[in-house]
Structure formats: C-alpha cells, structure tokens
Amino acid sequence: MKPSPGHIPLLGWSRKQWEDWLTDRDCSPVHAVSLVREIHRHGELSLERMDSIPQHVRAALREQTECALPSVVESNCARDGTRKWLLRLGCGDVIETVLIPAAGRATLCLSSQAGCVLNCTFCRTARSGFGRNLTVHEIVSQLWLVRHRLQPEMPVTHVVFMGMGEPLANLDAVADAAHLFRDPHAYSMGCRQVTVSTAGLVPGIDRLRQVADVSLAVSLHAPDDVLRTQLMPINARYPIDDLLAACRRYADGGSRKRKIIIEYVLLDDVNDSPERARALAGRLRDLPCKVNLIPFNAFPESGYAASPEPVRNRFREILCEEGIVAITRRPRGDDIAAACGQLAGKIRKPRAGMPWADHSVLTHGPLPTASGVAG
Ligand code: SF4
C-alpha cells in the first residue's frame, strides 16, 4: 500500500523505492544508497545529521517523511541472557520482540502481526486474538530499535519471523522487510540469516519462493492429519501432504538447494511417542530438511505439559536412526515468558471475522475454526 504524501515511513522503504522517489523529484537516485546507509546501517534518523545527503534532498525528505518509533513498555532479561521487549505501536497494540544471544551470534525474533488468528492450541499468542498486520515500518522498527538503541553492544546477526503472528498472512510486508534485512547497504544479512517461519499456509510458501530469498521454517508438530488438525486448525485447510509438497518446491526453487527447517514441539503424551517419531521420519525422508525438536514451554491454562527429557531424547534418537537430522532446541528465555509459543502482547481491539490483509494466501473457503474443523 502506498503511503499518502507527507507520510513516507522512514524505516519502511526499500532502496528501490527511495530511488524512484528521488528520480520523481529530479534528484539523483544515487542518494538512495546514502539514505539507506544512514538510516539502517548507522541508525541515524535525524535529517539534520545526515551529512552524506545534500541539503535539497534533506529538505524534500523533511516535508514528506515521518518516523514514529514504537515505545518500549517493558524490558525483561532472562537468566540465560535472552531479552524481551514489549513495544507499543502507534495505534496502541503491544507486540513482543525477543533477542536470543548465543556463541558468536544474536538472533532477533520478530513479530509480523499484532496477535494471530490461526489458533494453534499450544500457543499463547493465539489467546490474545488478532489485531492487525504490522506494516513494513513496524517490522523493521523492531530490528532498528534493538540494533541501534536497545542493545547496540550485541549486534543482531540473524532474524527469525517466529514472534507474534503468521508471517505468510502478511507476506507483502514481511517480504519487503526481508529485502531490507538482506540489502548490503542496510543490514546485509545472508539468506540463511533471515528465516520466515510458517504454520503452513501453502500458497504463501509458493509466493515466498518467488518474492524473497530467505530460509523457510515450517511448524509441523504432528506426523498425521488428525492430530495436526487438533493442534493446528490451519491443517484442515492445508493438510500435511500439500504442505510437504510445497516445502519440496521451496527446497528445489531458486539458484541453490535449500534445507527446510521443520519445527516440532514435544507435548507430553500427545505427539511424542516412538510411533510418531517413526511416522515423522517416514514423512520427511525425501525432503532436504533439519528437524528442530522444541521442549514445550508451559504457560497458565495451556492444557499441555512438556515431554520428559528421556522421552525427548528417545524421539530424537529414532529420527537420527531413520536418517533424519534432528536437534533438540535448548529452551531460551522461559523464565520471562520469552520462549517459543509464550509471547502474548496486548491487542487493543481484537478483530473477528476475516482479518487477512493479504487475501492471496487463502485461495478459497472459510477460515479454519479453533475447534480444529474448517467451517
Ligand atoms: S503458533 Fe504461530 S501461527 Fe500458531 S497461533 Fe501461535 S503465532 Fe499464530
């Protein structure tokens, strides 16, 4: 969507958009590089201090741009160094952003929507309801704030769209943000440093392959449709066969072979039996992938418990015996509710009905319901 004149979001535009804007004003498009560097690489938002930009360009920018940053409502640091920020957006919705430090890297977990409509039964975000899609500016703001203001001493090396929301339901904004993350003049991240994680919107996976060069993670969580639909109602619309076929297309597409990351949260006595481990291995045998096993992070009234460690270990061993690369992800930030599936935020006005801004990811039929049966 094009912003109205005078309201160009400073953090939300790509180098190409700035080039076009400059050309329209009879200015040299070459200044787009300097502008992107000033904003994203150097963290400079004051036009007065952008010395690499000529005065007449700065004057035009002053008239036409705005830069409302989210405000920090709360900041928490976990025992393991994981940091979580609650950020209030201009409209009042509160989202969460999590920075996970590890040896030689720091991963920022970004939100793409305020809330989520997909109603995965093990996920705390789903309990908040759905507010709206975030704009490109709001998505990029999360990285910009952490990189340049909140934690500059720990440069973010990777971003993952695993915070609040389903990124492929907001694909245009997510793809535009990903282009900025990958732009060598902005954040200069490689395709393995930007990961989009989906609950399984099949048309969105196919479109993502065409519009962005990023890594793909898929939340699978069950090897059979009956159980997966119970856990993730979206499975009623896009069952496992269709989802894995889309993963194969994604892995084959582009200039290089890509490995898909399969996420599997281990829920006690629900999806963690040896039979299900073997069934999962069977499903994944011909897919270039790596399985991340995730110990469940409980939250009040979730109704689920984490699988005991010996059960988790046995599940992983079976996958490895069957030739599947599998690791168990170490829980991070669970003491501040910053771990996977624990993000809550606060939606000012939850919306009912058809909340999708990007309707192209859903091709037909009604939305799945929380009961697990597509209506
Ligand atoms: S797990 Fe992801 S897709 Fe499912 S409800 Fe939570 S945020 Fe939405």
Side-chain angles (χ1 to χ4, degrees), residues 116-120 122-123 125-126 163-166 199 232:
C116 187
V117 75
L118 290 193
N119 281 325
C120 301
F122 50 84
C123 173
T125 303
M164 295 169 66
E166 162 54 55
M232 307 179 73

Side-chain angles (χ1 to χ4, degrees), residues 45-99:
L45 295 183
S46 163
L47 295 168
E48 278 66 38
R49 287 197 293 266
M50 290 189 188
D51 296 331
S52 62
I53 313 282
Q55 283 294 352
H56 68 285
V57 175
R58 283 194 252 172
L61 286 166
R62 207 167 287 122
E63 273 177 26
Q64 304 241 321
T65 60
E66 63 169 18
C67 188
L69 288 171
S71 56
V72 178
V73 179
E74 205 178 301
S75 163
N76 293 287
C77 187
R79 282 188 297 270
D80 63 12
T82 299
R83 292 201 83 105
K84 179 174 81 169
W85 292 277
L86 262 67
L87 302 176
R88 179 172 286 115
L89 306 174
C91 60
D93 290 333
V94 176
I95 57 161
E96 301 193 343
T97 299
V98 177
L99 181 64

Side-chain angles (χ1 to χ4, degrees), residues 30-56:
V30 79
H31 301 309
V33 169
S34 309
L35 189 55
V36 165
R37 280 172 172 250
E38 289 277 11
I39 296 170
H40 298 285
R41 184 178 288 186
H42 304 310
E44 186 56 81
L45 295 183
S46 163
L47 295 168
E48 278 66 38
R49 287 197 293 266
M50 290 189 188
D51 296 331
S52 62
I53 313 282
Q55 283 294 352
H56 68 285

Side-chain angles (χ1 to χ4, degrees), residues 210-260:
Q210 291 156 3
V211 299
D213 190 10
V214 294
S215 295
L216 177 70
V218 171
S219 299
L220 198 59
H221 306 320
D224 59 278
D225 283 317
V226 172
L227 177 59
R228 190 166 191 270
T229 301
Q230 279 171 24
L231 298 175
M232 307 179 73
I234 191 67
N235 191 71
R237 178 74 59 81
Y238 303 116
I240 295 173
D241 278 348
D242 295 356
L243 175 55
L244 293 181
C247 289
R248 271 179 223 108
R249 290 193 292 275
Y250 196 90
D252 285 343
S255 51
R256 69 186 96 80
K257 294 274 179 200
R258 304 188 255 205
K259 258 193 187 169
I260 309 296

